[in-house]
Amino acid sequence: MIIEPLRLTPDRDIPGPVLTELTALHASNRDFQALSGDFPDPDDIRPEQVAAALAVELANPDIEVLLARGEGLLVGLVITLAHHPDPADPDPWIGLLMVDGLSQRRGYGRRLATLVEDRFRAAGRSAVRLAVLDNNPKGLAFWTALGYEVIGHREDLQLGRPCAVLRKVLRTPRRAARIAVVDPDGAVFLLRCDNVELGAHWALPGGGLEADEGPREGALRELREETGWTDLELGPLLCTWEHDFIRAGIPVRQHEHVYVARGPRREPTGPDLAATHAEEWILGWRWWTPEELAQLSEPVWPPGLGRMLAEFERESATRP
């Protein structure tokens, strides 16, 4: 699927073939048209009505009309608003997202929403809002499943219809890797960290990957920077997981590879250790036995670490 702006003729009209496609797209969503009341007769939507409705949108320089095509066919329409009239609202808006009725249940809606979010993210926007009519529970379920949260209720600006207002933080994808260093007695080394969004928590050594790094290479580099240890051999992958947090003021969604390594119980060392810990908001460190880890009340990255390590040890004991 690709999305592209609706391109007008030199006379500022919608090209005839495109208008025919857009009319069919609107007509294929009869139930939504009946809910919204955007057209006088949802069973008889005409090209001139669609053209007039889109002309109102296109007259606003902050509005962009995007067409979604798959295999050359028009499969969706999105209308976005870069700046809301309310100066207290800093976010862009999705004014309309519509998928062709004959193409629904193919994942086009989710894909289209993701592409629009990517456009906003690339433009430096950190969140997006939209409104769902109160009489449209299917629409509300769709958007909340994509991570949008209801932040209020109000009437829409055009027709005064009651709506729920939803918002989603646009997080930047980030790759990372960590290492569970386990001593001969089964204790694991954890760093106590602080984060503006999540607060204090315990985490395995590791962090974000550089552009040209693989996860195993990056995990060893991060271990060296945060502990000074350079003599460990990286073992198998323990798990992968994703989580959200704020890093350097930027909301990120981090995808992590977590590996296991065997090593002696010792303290971190190195001349640059204090500066690295201060920069990364590392407050301290500790070796945790399996029993202690099971009783730890503060959050641990990744969640369920004690259980995963116990399963790893059981599987290791059965290997020849």
Side-chain angles (χ1 to χ4, degrees):
M1 177 189 291
I2 61 171
I3 57 174
E4 57 186 7
L6 171 60
R7 304 189 187 283
L8 304 179
T9 68
D11 295 329
R12 302 290 299 170
D13 294 325
I14 300 174
V18 177
L19 182 57
T20 299
E21 291 179 303
L22 286 167
T23 303
L25 177 70
H26 282 76
S28 71
N29 286 271
R30 190 267 173 202
D31 290 345
F32 173 76
Q33 307 301 351
L35 287 175
S36 68
D38 289 334
F39 297 95
D41 184 353
D43 294 309
D44 185 22
I45 298 176
R46 302 177 182 180
E48 59 270 21
Q49 295 172 328
V50 174
L54 291 177
V56 172
E57 305 287 1
L58 292 167
N60 185 335
D62 281 335
I63 286 180
E64 189 171 34
V65 178
L66 302 171
L67 306 183
R69 294 190 177 276
E71 299 180 355
L73 301 176
L74 183 68
V75 296
L77 168 71
V78 182
I79 299 176
T80 65
L81 176 65
H83 302 283
H84 196 273
D86 183 353
D89 180 353
D91 300 325
W93 280 65
I94 298 175
L96 175 69
L97 186 149
M98 184 182 298
V99 173
D100 178 73
L102 300 178
S103 301
Q104 293 179 2
R105 300 188 181 278
R106 299 182 186 178
Y108 284 150
R110 285 177 171 268
R111 178 60 179 152
L112 187 50
T114 298
L115 290 173
V116 172
E117 292 168 4
D118 288 344
R119 287 173 69 90
F120 284 137
R121 191 180 289 110
R125 311 305 291 270
S126 59
V128 59
R129 301 190 192 198
L130 55 86
V132 176
L133 296 171
D134 281 355
N135 61 355
N136 186 11
K138 289 184 179 179
L140 183 64
F142 170 80
W143 290 109
T144 54
L146 295 183
Y148 288 76
E149 299 180 353
V150 176
I151 61 171
H153 295 268
R154 69 186 189 199
E155 294 182 346
D156 77 328
L157 298 180
Q158 291 183 332
L159 299 176
R161 298 166 295 189
C163 300
V165 177
L166 292 85
R167 185 175 189 264
K168 180 179 180 178
V169 174
L170 298 179
R171 296 184 178 272
T172 300
R174 186 173 189 254
R175 300 183 308 131
R178 298 184 185 277
I179 301 178
V181 180
V182 180
D183 79 358
D185 295 324
V188 62
F189 178 82
L190 296 179
L191 299 168
R192 190 168 189 266
C193 307
D194 196 11
N195 179 261
V196 66
E197 183 175 11
L198 302 176
H201 60 281
W202 291 89
L204 297 170
L209 303 182
E210 297 178 356
D212 58 346
E213 277 187 326
R216 296 179 70 89
E217 178 187 2
L220 288 171
R221 176 188 53 76
E222 286 285 335
L223 180 68
R224 180 179 68 253
E225 293 175 358
E226 294 181 349
T227 66
W229 303 335
T230 61
D231 56 345
L232 297 184
E233 182 177 345
L234 199 59
L237 182 71
L238 180 67
C239 71
T240 62
W241 74 299
E242 289 188 348
H243 60 114
D244 297 339
F245 70 109
I246 302 292
R247 175 173 174 79
I250 299 174
V252 301
R253 170 155 293 173
Q254 183 154 292
H255 180 80
E256 296 188 354
H257 285 69
V258 181
Y259 299 94
V260 178
R262 304 287 185 180
R265 180 183 289 237
R266 53 185 165 177
E267 299 288 298
T269 185
D272 300 326
L273 202 64
T276 298
H277 286 192
E279 181 180 352
E280 298 296 329
W281 291 88
I282 296 173
L283 307 179
W285 58 82
R286 178 179 164 181
W287 289 90
W288 293 84
T289 67
E291 296 76 19
E292 292 170 334
L293 189 59
Q295 299 176 11
L296 181 58
S297 59
E298 287 187 310
V300 177
W301 288 5
L305 175 62
R307 172 186 52 78
M308 289 187 287
L309 287 175
E311 292 176 358
F312 174 79
E313 294 290 1
R314 285 195 294 270
E315 292 176 0
S316 297
T318 62
R319 295 191 188 104

